Amino acid sequence: MDLYTQIENLPGIGTVYQRKLKKIGIKTVRDILYHFPHRYENFSNIAPISKIKLQETVCVMGKILEIKNERTWKKRMTLTQAVIQDNTGAIRAVWFRQPYLTRTLKQGDNVCLAGKVSVDNSGAYLSNPAYEKISANLTHTGRIVPVYPETIGLSSRWLRYIIKPLLVNFSAKIPEILPQKIIQDNNLMPIRQAIWQIHFPDSMAMARKSKERFSFEQLFLIEMAVLRARMRLNQETAPAMPMDVNLIKRFVKSLSFKLTDAQRKCTYQVLKDMEKSRPMNRLLEGDVGSGKTMVALIAALQTIKSGNQVAFMAPTEILAKQHFQEVSSRLGDFNINIGLLTGKEDKFISKKLKNETIEISRKKLIEKTQKNDLDILIGTHALIQDKMKFGELGLIILDEQHRFGVAQRAKLTTKSSKQIPHLLSMTATPIPRTLALTIFGDLDLSIIDQLPKGRKKIITKFVAPANRNKSYSFIKQQIKKGRQVFIICPRIESQKDKENIDPTSPWANVKSVEDEYERLSKQIFPDLKLVMLHGKMTPKEKEKIMKDFKNKKFDILVSTSVIEVGIDVPNASVMVIEGADRFGLSQLHQFRGRVGRSKYQSYCLLFTDSPAVKTRQRLKALISSENGFELAEKDLSIRGPGDFSGTRQWGIPDIAMDSLKNIALVEKTRNSVQQILDEDPELKQYPFLLERLEKFQNKIHLE
Ligand code: ADP
Ligand code: MG
C-alpha cells in the first residue's frame, strides 16, 4: 500500500463512507491526508473537576461512576446522562440523541471528556462533550483537536479516527516535493512534520506553521504549473504578422473619434506581439466603456490583411450579434468576409455581394470557415464545437473572457490545422494582483486605464426605502427627457405563488423580475413602456428584446443579471439595482457600466433591504470608487477568490484559495518558483516535484 492506494482498498472504510468521501473528491490515501481541518478545538488543558467554571470549554479526566439513557417526554428524545469523577470531585455529562453511547462508554471506564460547562436545575454539567477512553495517545480530547469542514455524514470524529492511523502508516512515505533550499530560505516546516501538525498539532503555533507550509506548497504548485505552461507555449509557433502601419492609419482615420492614449498603447502591444512567431497570450483589461473592442478590431484587421482568419468569441448571443454589427459597420469598407455563428442563427456578409447580409446554413458557414473563404467568424461557444475547423486561424479574440470555462479556452487553441493562433482575451473585471501572478500568471497584461474623453462621471446613490417613490419620480423625469432606464433584480421568478417559502429566509423578500415588472407596469409607470428580460427566455426572445430596447421601443428594461456583460445602449441614463447586496462589487460595477455611455449625465441607484452595516459598507465602496481595479481588489479581500470571476471552476484546494488573498506570500512563492525554473527548467533534480506537478495539473484546470 502506498499514498495512491484507493480508499476502497483500505480497511475500516465501508462502501457508504467511500461514496461520501468520493463526493468531496477524496479517492486515495493522499487525498485523505490532504483533507485539512479548517479549525481546531483546544482541549489541551485538562482541568481538575473541582476547578472548572461555568461557560468554559474544559477537558476533564476521570472514571465513569454511572451512565444511563433516559427518554424525555417533553422533547421526545433520548438523553444520556453520566457522572464522572476524578480525585478532586465529580460532574455530570449530558448527551442528546446519542443513545448508542452507552454501548461504548461503561461504568468504571476511565475517560476524557471535553466540552462546554452548562448549568440546569440540578447544577453544572458538561453538555454534549467530546469523549474518549483514556489511552497513551488521545485523539479526540486532551489535546488540540482538528475540526474538519462540515460535510453531511462525515463527522470530524470519524475523520480523526480514520486519519490518525493513516498518518502513522503513511506520513513517513510522503515525499518532500519542495526543494530543500526553498524550505530553508523560507523557513518552512518539512512535509513529514507538517502533515502531522496540521491534523494533530502540538500547539496552535505549530498548527499555524504547518498551514503556512501547505499554503506555500499549493501556491508553489499553481505558479509552477502556470509558468511551465507559459514556457511550453513559447516554444510553439504562430503566424508572424508584420504590422501594416498604413492599414492601421486608414482604419483609425475612418473612426468618428480619436483613440485614447491607452487604446493606442494597448493596440501597439498587441500588434507587436503578433509580429512574432511565438503565440501571443495577452489579456486586455479595461473598465466597461473603455473601448476594448477597438483594440480587438485593429488586431483583427491586421490578422485578416496578413492572410489569416479571426475567431471572435463572445459569451452571449446578444453580445455576439452586437459585435457582428460593429465589425460589419467598422470593417465593412475593408473588403472582407464576415460570418456570424450562434446557437440559432447563422449569417454571412460577403465582400462580393457588397456587404449585404445574408442568412446562410450552418453547413455552408462551416465549409467556408474551413476553406478560408471567411475572414472573421463571430459567435458564441458554438465556435468551439467539434466540427468547427479553421483553414488559417491567426487570431482568437475572447470577449469578457472570464465567462468562458478554462476548458473551452484550451479547446480553441487547437482549432487551426496548422499553427497555434494568437490569443487576445478581454475582460472588464480587473484581475487582482495576486491572481495576476498566480492563476493568470501565464498571460501578458495590457491595461486600458483611461475612458474616452467627454464621459461624465456616473452619479451613484444609495436609496433608502423611504425614498423609493422619489426615485420613481426621478425616473419619470429622465424618460420624459428621452432617456431609458435599466432595472436589475436578483432573480427571475415570482415567489408569491410558491408555498413553503420560509419568510425568514434571506431570499424571501428579494425582488424578482416577474413581480417587479408587473408591479411597475401596473402601479408605478402605467403610462410607460416596460419590458422584461431574463435568462429563461430563448436567445431569440432575448435578442429581440435587447434590439427593441436599443431602438427605443421601450422606456424601461426590467432584467436579471443577464444584461451584465457588454451590452451597449448609449441612450440609457439610469441603472437601478434592486437587492444590491446580492451582487459582488465587480458585478455591480459592470451593471453601472451599462449607463454613462454617451454625453448624458447618468445615474446608478442602489436599493437594498439588508440592514447589515457590513453590507452597506461594502456598497459604499461602489459609491466612492469608479475604479474597477480598486473594486476588484476589495471584492477579493471581502469575498475571497472563490466568487471571483469563476475561479471556483479551477478546482483549487481551499487552502490555496485562502492564500490567494495574501500578496506577500504570493510574491514569496513566485520568487521561489522562478529561482528553481531558472536553474533547472526541466526540473531534472526534482523528480518528486515533477511527479506531483503532473498529477496536480490533471486535477486542476488552469489557463
Ligand atoms: P468595452 O471596453 O466596455 O468593451 P466598447 O468597446 O464597447 O467598450 O466601447 C464603448 C463605446 O465607446 C462604444 O460605443 C465605442 O464605439 C465607443 N468608443 C470606443 N473608443 C472610443 C474613443 N476613443 N472615443 C470615443 N468613443 C469610443
Ligand atoms: Mg466589451
Side-chain angles (χ1 to χ4, degrees), residues 257-260 263 286-294 326 330 400 452-453 455 568 597:
F257 45 76
K258 270 180 71 179
L259 292 183
T260 61
Q263 280 172 313
D287 240 340
V288 274
S290 60
K292 294 183 288 294
T293 321
M294 273 316 133
E326 177 143 24
R330 299 213 190 264
E400 306 297 348
K453 269 216 188 86
R455 293 265 166 82
D568 199 20
R597 300 195 139 213

Side-chain angles (χ1 to χ4, degrees), residues 289 292-293 319 322-323 399-400 426 428 565-567 594 597:
K292 294 183 288 294
T293 321
L319 262 186
Q322 194 173 292
H323 285 320
D399 194 16
E400 306 297 348
M426 304 194 279
V565 184
I567 298 302
R594 297 302 113 221
R597 300 195 139 213

